[in-house]
Each structure stands twice: as C-alpha cells, then as structure tokens.
C-alpha cells in the first residue's frame, strides 16, 4: 500500500468510528478481570497444560490505567483484544512489530526520522494519517481504530485530542508508561509497556518472552557498569542542533533519558532542556561526556557538529572535549520511549566502559 495523507473526514465517518471502537466510557464501571487462578471452575481439575495455557491468556474485560498530557490516570476498558490500532510515534510501531501485531496497525502519523531497518518495510506500507502538528482527532476517528498508542504528552486537547475526547469517540488510549513525565521512569518502564500490551492484545506468551530478552540485555549492562564504574559518576551533557556556537540541550526533566543515564552511573548536568545555549554555557556545565543527538532534519549541520565542537578553542579545557568523549546517538534511540532505547543503552555502555 502506498503511503498517503488522509484528508479530514467528518459527519458519518466519525459516527461510524463512535459506534465501532472498543468499549470505553460506557464500560468505565467494569474492573480488571480476576487472574485465572481466581476464576471459578465448572469442570474437573485442569491439567498442567491447560493451567499454563489459561495463565497466558487474557480474561476480558480488563481495565488498564493510562495517563495523558495532564498525567491524570484514566481507566481504559477492553472487552476483547483490539483489532484496529493507530500509532502516534515511531516507538509504538516498533513495539507492535516486535510483538507480532503489525497487521493490526490501520494508520500512523508521519515519523520524524527514518524507521529502523527491520520495520522499514512495515512503515512504508502503513497509511499516513497526517503529521504530529496538523493531525486531528476527527481524522483519527475516521480510521476507526479501537485504540491509539503513543506517548502521554501526545494526548491533549487539540491535534490528537485528550483521552476523554478520544474515549467519547469510542477510541481507547494507551499512553506508554515510559513516557510518564510525572514520575521517575526507567528502562524497566519500557519492559512494563511490553507486558501491558501483551495483556491488552492477548499475546502474553510472546510479550513475556520478549520482556525476558530485554531484561537480560538490561541486566548485562547494569552488571558491566557496576563492575567498571565503581563509585565514579560521570557528568553528561545531552546536546542537539549545534550551529555556529549555539545548541539545544535535553535536561534531567526528560525522565526516561535520566533513567537511562542513571543505569550508566551518569547524571545529566542540565536540570532542564533549552535552546540557544552558547559555548559559555558549555564551559560552565563542564561535562565529562557529551551525547550528541542526531536527527534527519539536521543532517547537514550534524555532519560537522562534533568536529566543530572539538575545534572551538574556548572548549579546550572541557573534559568531554579534552579527552574526546563525545558520541553521536540517533534521536529515536535516545529520546523516544521504545525498544530502540536498549540499543542506545548498550552503545553508550560500550563507549563509556570499554
């Protein structure tokens, strides 16, 4: 299928979406189904194989709490596994791809950077509903999804719509736990997203197997850091868009990214993100390491950014520059909220401790 942008569709299409989505508002009084061990049995005692199969299956209806841009928890009830999904960022596409749920994606938004090589063919086949600046909840509703998946900040009034607005259109929302800026999150939060989606879509065996793989990767990094770092904490500056002595930083208020750095025994030297910082700001921050975030839209300036930083005389005494501790990491591998963050974690671990 060729990609195309879906135009605004009103009236009867929205009504159709309202009637066809997963149950949300009208089922809000339902609670999470009891685990299989608490379900009454009407036949003889099940075999061990039957018990194992039952434990790995979702007992609908289930209610899963999620948070939008206001970070208020809202229950979303699923009466059955969703069949039609709209994705709102690159990491949600990749999460579904790795859980074998690609065929359920009926639309997505245009992503900012090139997709991963393993799911590029999938992305190229998807219907592009719009971009993150112009898409509307009406366009989303016209795709008739049962659920939309993305980061918490996406779900606000205007553009995508708030959780309540989307629920009123018959659409459930799953905001990635790893994107919850109201609490401390970590790489474990991505693993929690994997298992939560496994339950929602009734692919728990697949999700648990994949979660175990991610857990092993995380533990390998943690063990390596513990053996190599000792008590030494490294100060890191996360930089982007370096042009003629000014740049952007991502601060410690980016919760998942701070969690990634913590796993590496590092700390972000900038409390908050900001733009138009100068070389004087960089000297004052005095980082041991600079993580330079690349993006497709900045390809021209990114190509010469690190060399330009190294050639700035005023930066000669900054440890990251003096000992050449600057590394490039793609935006989606560091600043998104999905499984590619594990690739970044491993790359940074090798850079910092090999």
């Amino acid at each position: 299928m060729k990609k195309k942008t879906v135009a605004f569709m009103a009236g009867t299409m929205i009504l159709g979406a309202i009637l066809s989505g997963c149950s949300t508002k009208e089922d809000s009084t339902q609670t999470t189904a009891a685990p299989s061990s608490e379900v009454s049995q009407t036949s003889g005692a099940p075999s061990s194989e039957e018990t194992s199969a039952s434990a790995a299956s979702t007992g609908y209806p289930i209610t899963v709490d999620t948070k939008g841009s206001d970070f208020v928890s809202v229950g979303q009830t699923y009466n059955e596994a969703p069949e039609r999904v709209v994705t709102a960022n690159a990491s949600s596409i990749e999460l579904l791809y790795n859980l074998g749920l690609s065929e359920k994606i009926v639309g997505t938004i245009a992503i900012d950077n090139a997709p991963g090589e393993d799911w590029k063919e999938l992305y190229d086949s998807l219907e592009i509903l719009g971009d993150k600046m112009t898409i509307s909840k009406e366009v989303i509703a016209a795709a008739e999804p049962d659920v939309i998946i993305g980061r918490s900040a996406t779900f606000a009034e205007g553009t995508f719509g708030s959780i309540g607005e989307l629920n009123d259109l018959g659409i459930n929302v799953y905001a990635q736990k790893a994107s919850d800026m109201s609490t401390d999150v970590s790489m474990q939060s991505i693993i929690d997203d994997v298992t939560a989606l496994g339950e929602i879509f009734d692919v728990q065996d697949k999700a648990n197997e994949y979660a175990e793989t991610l857990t092993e990767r995380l533990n390998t990094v943690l063990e390596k850091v513990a053996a190599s770092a000792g008590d030494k904490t490294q100060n890191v500056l996360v930089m982007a868009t370096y042009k003629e002595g000014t740049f952007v930083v991502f601060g410690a208020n980016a919760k998942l990214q701070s969690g990634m750095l913590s796993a590496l025994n590092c700390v972000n030297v900038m409390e908050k993100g900001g733009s138009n910082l100068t070389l004087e700001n960089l000297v004052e921050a005095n980082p041991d390491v600079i993580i330079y975030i690349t993006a497709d839209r900045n390809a021209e300036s990114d190509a010469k950014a690190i060399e330009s930083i190294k050639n700035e005389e005023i930066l000669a005494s900054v440890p990251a520059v003096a000992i050449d501790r600057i590394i490039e990491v793609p935006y989606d591998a560091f600043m998104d909220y999905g499984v590619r963050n594990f690739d970044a974690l491993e790359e940074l671990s090798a850079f910092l401790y090999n």
Side-chain angles (χ1 to χ4, degrees), residues 64-93:
V64 178
D65 290 337
T66 202
K67 298 179 183 179
S69 60
D70 58 2
F71 299 111
V72 174
S73 185
V74 182
Q76 305 290 285
T77 297
Y78 300 84
N79 292 323
E80 59 186 359
E83 291 297 329
R84 298 177 63 84
V85 185
V86 165
T87 55
N89 57 2
S91 57
S92 57
I93 300 173

Side-chain angles (χ1 to χ4, degrees), residues 34-336:
S36 57
S37 60
E38 298 178 11
V39 177
S40 60
Q41 301 291 332
T42 57
S43 59
S47 67
S48 59
E49 291 182 359
E50 290 172 335
T51 301
S52 176
S54 176
S57 297
T58 301
Y60 298 102
I62 60 168
T63 297
V64 178
D65 290 337
T66 202
K67 298 179 183 179
S69 60
D70 58 2
F71 299 111
V72 174
S73 185
V74 182
Q76 305 290 285
T77 297
Y78 300 84
N79 292 323
E80 59 186 359
E83 291 297 329
R84 298 177 63 84
V85 185
V86 165
T87 55
N89 57 2
S91 57
S92 57
I93 300 173
E94 190 168 27
L95 282 166
L96 293 177
Y97 171 82
N98 281 286
L99 291 176
L101 299 168
S102 305
E103 75 284 352
K104 294 181 181 285
I105 304 175
V106 297
T108 190
I109 66 164
I111 60 177
D112 292 329
N113 300 294
E117 282 301 316
D118 52 345
W119 52 276
K120 181 181 184 302
E121 184 176 352
L122 166 64
Y123 178 73
D124 289 342
S125 74
L126 296 177
E127 195 80 17
I128 305 301
L129 304 179
D131 61 56
K132 63 185 179 184
M133 301 301 294
T134 61
I135 197 167
S136 68
K137 57 183 177 292
E138 290 84 5
V139 169
I140 293 169
E144 302 183 358
D146 300 322
V147 64
I148 178 170
I149 302 174
R151 66 190 183 107
S152 291
T154 292
F155 303 110
E157 292 184 3
T159 56
F160 284 88
S162 67
I163 293 177
E165 289 173 325
L166 290 164
N167 287 173
D168 287 343
L169 292 172
I171 305 169
N172 271 341
V173 171
Y174 183 85
Q176 292 157 273
K177 299 175 186 293
S179 69
D180 182 359
M181 296 278 283
S182 67
T183 187
D184 290 335
V185 294
S186 66
M187 299 298 289
Q188 179 61 45
S189 302
I190 299 172
I191 299 172
D192 292 343
D193 280 321
V194 169
T195 55
L197 290 171
E199 182 177 20
I200 289 169
F201 286 91
D202 197 15
V203 289
Q204 294 193 55
D205 285 346
K206 176 79 171 179
N208 290 338
E209 181 181 350
Y210 191 53
E212 184 177 347
T213 297
L214 295 177
T215 299
E216 290 174 356
R217 292 174 67 182
L218 175 58
N219 287 339
T220 297
V221 169
L222 294 175
E223 290 167 5
K224 179 177 183 177
V225 171
S228 304
D231 296 329
K232 179 178 173 55
T233 299
Q234 300 189 62
N235 294 321
V236 174
L237 185 139
V238 184
M239 177 191 293
T241 323
Y242 182 88
K243 296 178 181 178
E244 299 178 355
T246 65
F247 55 93
V248 171
V249 295
F250 298 102
N253 57 329
K255 298 290 190 177
L256 176 63
Q257 290 66 39
S258 287
M260 291 176 66
L261 293 179
S262 178
L264 296 164
N265 213 35
C266 295
V267 62
N268 194 324
V269 296
M270 306 299 290
E271 182 178 349
K272 295 181 179 180
S275 58
N276 295 318
L277 276 74
T278 66
L279 296 179
E280 287 73 20
N281 297 125
L282 183 50
V283 171
E284 183 180 1
N286 201 39
D288 301 311
V289 178
I290 294 173
I291 299 174
Y292 187 87
I293 305 299
T294 61
D296 289 358
R297 65 177 178 270
N298 299 324
E300 184 176 350
S301 58
D302 287 348
K304 53 189 177 183
I306 291 181
E307 193 62 31
S308 297
I309 292 168
K310 292 178 180 179
N311 290 334
E312 293 285 359
E313 292 185 10
I314 191 175
L315 303 179
S317 62
V318 173
V321 178
I323 60 176
D324 194 16
R325 300 276 277 175
I326 308 175
I327 181 173
E328 292 184 351
V329 178
Y331 182 93
D332 289 338
F334 191 81
M335 293 304 301
D336 207 346

